[in-house]
Amino acid sequence: MSILKGKTAVVTGSTSGIGLACARAFAAAGANIVLNGMGAPTDVEKECSAIESEFAVRAIYSPADMAKPSEIFDLIARVENTFGSVDVLVNNAGIQHVSPVEEFPVERWDAVIAINLSAAFHAIRAAVPGMKKRGWGRIITTASAHSRVASPFKSAYVAAKHGIAGLTKTVALELARSKITCNCISPGYVWTPLVEKQIPNTMKARDMRRDQVIHDVLLAAQPTKEFVTVEQVASLALFLCSQDAAQITGANLSIDGGWTAA
Ligand code: NAD
């Protein structure tokens, strides 16, 4: 299936987890790939080489910091210069901080909002003119079940993800006649480093053991009692890039084992 042959996909936060799975799925569908995120440059270069040889596409890495608007702008400009276009933009970079609101460090609030919400605005703002000029584009943002419902101790994350749902709808309406769709995907708990890293703080905030956090906090919300896989999220993202998905825009698609059905 080469539905993205000749197209270029920028996936922010793709050095691990959901972003890396999306990048690999898009490469398998023929897209040139721009990886981005934190990580040892040598490891990421290795991943680029693996994608290039496995899928016969080009893959480059940008270390742009999604907390910095000027670096996001430069990333989009560099990709347009290198490949001629940004056809698919996946705003996926994200961080989490778990803390009661009255103790929430202001600096962490600012970082979560910058990386999980404002970065999507800056990237969309930079990529849309080129997409409009070429008359095609796919904008996908990784939101979260937390774009629909809240959990205690995640004020910044929940605020950012609710913001993504609103940004997605607004951009979709603005681009509705331009053959550019804009959607967000809202996973429940996906087993990735982001989830693993929040376990210690949740243990502290809730005074629980590790296994209790996994079963009574994380999977407590997920009726299927199973983690979503990164490949399942990537398949949905790839579908949104297809012609069959051309009329899906402004949507917030849940992939959460029934979490938000409750
Ligand atoms: P992850 O930690 O594996 O990936 C996060 C990515 O973001 C990494 O590549 C990291 O390097 C990158 N990143 C972090 N800060 C950055 C910055 N300042 N600039 C550039 N890149 C940065 O976690 P993940 O679970 O794959 O998360 C990806 C997205 O999925 C996030 O937006 C997250 O909120 C969302 N999400 C995850 C889950 C889950 O259960 N894992 C559920 C719902 C939504």
Side-chain angles (χ1 to χ4, degrees), residues 20 23-24 27-28 33 35 42-60:
L20 182 56
R24 292 182 58 82
I33 299 298
L35 291 184
T42 47
D43 290 346
V44 190
E45 292 305 339
K46 236 185 264 170
E47 192 58 58
C48 285
S49 304
I51 288 175
E52 288 191 333
S53 58
E54 213 171 315
F55 303 113
V57 297
R58 285 185 65 197
I60 62 169

Side-chain angles (χ1 to χ4, degrees), residues 131-251:
M131 288 179 175
K132 273 187 166 170
K133 208 160 41 182
R134 289 181 299 277
W136 196 90
R138 293 289 188 264
I139 301 167
I140 300 164
T141 302
T142 312
S144 165
H146 284 122
S147 71
R148 299 184 185 282
V149 295
S151 298
F153 311 122
K154 296 185 177 176
S155 52
Y157 189 86
V158 171
K161 296 300 186 179
H162 275 66
I164 287 296
L167 175 66
T168 297
K169 290 196 272 190
T170 308
V171 173
L173 293 180
E174 289 182 26
L175 301 178
R177 303 291 297 270
S178 305
K179 307 219 175 296
I180 303 165
T181 67
C182 181
N183 295 290
C184 60
I185 294 178
S186 284
Y189 278 103
V190 188
W191 188 252
T192 67
L194 183 138
V195 168
E196 205 167 359
K197 271 187 239 156
Q198 66 188 271
I199 291 175
N201 280 345
T202 310
M203 286 166 68
K204 207 161 96 190
R206 293 183 181 250
D207 192 21
M208 281 180 167
R209 295 191 314 267
R210 182 182 164 83
D211 62 307
Q212 286 176 310
V213 170
I214 290 175
H215 293 104
D216 302 344
V217 180
L218 303 185
L219 292 181
Q222 219 143 285
T224 56
K225 298 293 170 200
E226 289 177 25
F227 284 101
V228 180
T229 69
V230 293
E231 290 78 13
Q232 288 164 343
V233 179
S235 290
L236 180 53
L238 182 59
F239 174 70
L240 287 174
C241 296
S242 68
Q243 182 52 31
D244 285 345
Q247 293 302 316
I248 302 177
T249 195

